[in-house]
Amino acid sequence: MDNRIKMLYNVIYSYASVIYAALCLLKGMVNSVKTQRFIKFIALLLSAAMLILSAAGCGATSATAISFGDIKINANEYCYWMSRYKAMFLYSYFGMTTDNDQIWTSEFAEGVTVGDFLETVALSNIMSNAICLKLFDDYGLELTTEQQNSIDDNINTKIQAVGSKSALNTQLSAYGVNVGMLRDIYESETKISTLQDYLYGENGTDKATTEEIDAYYEDNYYRCKHILIRTDVKYELDENGDPIVDEESGSYKTIELTEEEIEEQKALAEELELRVAAGEDFDALVVQYSEDTGMQHFADGYYINSACTFLPSEVVSAVMSMKVDEVKTVESDYGIHIIKRYELIDDAYNDAEYAAYMFGDLEATVNSIKLQELLGQYTNLVVINEEIVADYPLAKCTPNFYY
């Protein structure tokens, strides 16, 4: 692992939010309609540092790739996990189940390829996993007989699916492991899940408190409404004046505006700016004029954070720079947005509908941050065998979609 990759690792671990912003550079660098989905996906990896795909075991016989105390992830296991992460990246971002060299050689930033960057994300997670395995031991945790039996059942199911243990070994060899190593990996995965439940589960010893969740909400979210005057298209309306939904796409049917209509929309936006400045009721103007149909559904407005993707980036940036009750006008590819920022409503994240669309599970988010902070205390103590790691670059590993 060269100095550039080590540097990237340190940046990822210490400045996850900054890296999220940097991911926006992928727009235009990697041609895919799924860019936003990828950005959200990687942001989750960075903020959680986790563990959905858990770490390799420590019952190793080959050279050690990563170690933390007496926990050792060997070269075979490291290769396996790089293969798993590669498959996850391919499927989650590109919707692909086959490899494509062009993906990994695309430039992410000057001198850094997409393969370099994603390899660093995978490496940071594997390092975090090693720390979790050590903490599992340090906390005196043990797997139950039921958990061990479940692991064995999983392995046996895979053996039966391919016909024999030797046949499974043949398939696993593409990812650097055999059946015994695979079982060790699954055991470690279960240990990490058990650790997370011990710390942050329903009866977790360090799970997020109400005060911590509320503090995260207040520090990271903004409430706003906007009057959107579209300058690109207009909705096709039914006889009742309601937008018509395209049954095939599920989106509203639209008609491109003429040049004359665009000028009329711009004039309307200017008129509304003056009316707002003169003190007219902003909420009433939103109801009457905003062409964002969501404004009719979410009466309290939108709750957004820096990772918001359901509003244009121009709107998000503006809101984050505004004071409460301030009004600002910005333009996006959709049209003209007259925006007002509002005070947060207490405990809005507990409203089921708002939680589903704008917050997700804030308790899980805060728990993820707490875990990341816990792991960060030990990061500098993790030892990386750079020669071994260099032998298994993400771009060259065989993607593992099956095991």
Side-chain angles (χ1 to χ4, degrees), residues 222-228 275-277 279-286 290 295 299-304 311 315-316 318-330 336-344:
Y222 307 80
R223 184 165 72 100
C224 67
K225 296 183 182 182
H226 72 144
I227 305 169
L228 169 60
R275 291 169 66 178
V276 170
E280 281 200 42
D281 187 311
F282 192 86
D283 289 0
L285 293 175
V286 168
S290 184
M295 285 286 91
D300 292 338
Y302 289 146
Y303 293 87
I304 66 172
L311 284 175
V315 175
V316 175
V319 173
M320 292 177 62
S321 69
M322 293 163 62
K323 297 178 181 179
V324 171
D325 292 329
E326 183 179 353
V327 176
K328 183 179 291 188
T329 300
V330 300
I336 301 167
H337 308 257
I338 305 172
I339 315 160
K340 182 176 179 179
R341 181 180 168 189
Y342 291 72
E343 286 275 10
L344 291 174

Side-chain angles (χ1 to χ4, degrees), residues 312-371:
S313 59
E314 295 87 351
V315 175
V316 175
S317 296
V319 173
M320 292 177 62
S321 69
M322 293 163 62
K323 297 178 181 179
V324 171
D325 292 329
E326 183 179 353
V327 176
K328 183 179 291 188
T329 300
V330 300
E331 293 187 34
S332 75
D333 291 339
Y334 298 96
I336 301 167
H337 308 257
I338 305 172
I339 315 160
K340 182 176 179 179
R341 181 180 168 189
Y342 291 72
E343 286 275 10
L344 291 174
I345 295 176
D346 291 344
D347 303 327
Y349 52 86
N350 286 325
D351 182 296
E353 188 167 31
Y354 278 89
Y357 287 94
M358 301 177 199
F359 296 108
D361 187 342
L362 281 197
E363 180 178 0
T365 298
V366 175
N367 283 336
S368 295
I369 293 170
K370 288 166 71 73
L371 176 59

Side-chain angles (χ1 to χ4, degrees), residues 126-274:
I126 296 173
M127 292 173 67
S128 297
N129 292 332
I131 298 171
C132 285
L133 288 171
K134 182 68 165 64
L135 293 178
F136 178 91
D137 292 341
D138 289 349
Y139 289 138
L141 303 178
E142 294 183 357
L143 298 185
T144 64
T145 299
E146 182 180 3
Q147 287 174 311
Q148 294 286 6
N149 290 339
S150 178
I151 295 167
D152 289 332
D153 289 344
N154 190 5
I155 293 293
N156 289 333
T157 297
K158 287 175 169 53
I159 292 173
Q160 292 171 11
V162 298
S164 67
K165 183 176 180 179
S166 61
L168 182 56
N169 277 334
T170 298
Q171 294 199 14
L172 292 175
S173 64
Y175 317 119
V177 297
N178 58 29
V179 172
M181 292 176 183
L182 185 65
R183 194 205 181 281
D184 286 345
I185 290 166
Y186 288 171
E187 183 175 284
S188 292
E189 186 173 40
T190 306
K191 287 181 178 180
I192 291 175
S193 177
T194 300
L195 172 73
Q196 292 180 72
D197 187 63
Y198 171 78
L199 292 173
Y200 309 114
E202 184 176 353
N203 299 308
T205 61
D206 193 34
K207 73 173 185 177
T209 65
T210 300
E211 293 75 18
E212 288 172 328
I213 296 170
D214 200 56
Y216 179 82
Y217 165 64
E218 293 181 359
D219 290 343
N220 292 277
Y221 280 86
Y222 307 80
R223 184 165 72 100
C224 67
K225 296 183 182 182
H226 72 144
I227 305 169
L228 169 60
I229 304 300
R230 299 196 68 161
T231 56
D232 58 344
V233 297
K234 61 182 177 182
Y235 294 118
E236 189 174 337
L237 306 178
D238 62 18
E239 62 276 9
N240 298 318
D242 297 320
I244 300 173
V245 177
D246 187 311
E247 293 183 1
E248 290 187 7
S249 67
S251 58
Y252 291 118
K253 291 183 178 182
T254 58
I255 304 170
E256 190 171 341
L257 293 177
T258 65
E259 289 298 323
E260 181 180 355
E261 288 173 323
I262 291 173
E263 292 305 314
E264 290 174 354
Q265 291 289 85
K266 290 180 178 179
L268 174 60
E270 290 179 1
E271 175 193 334
L272 291 172
E273 286 184 271
L274 293 174

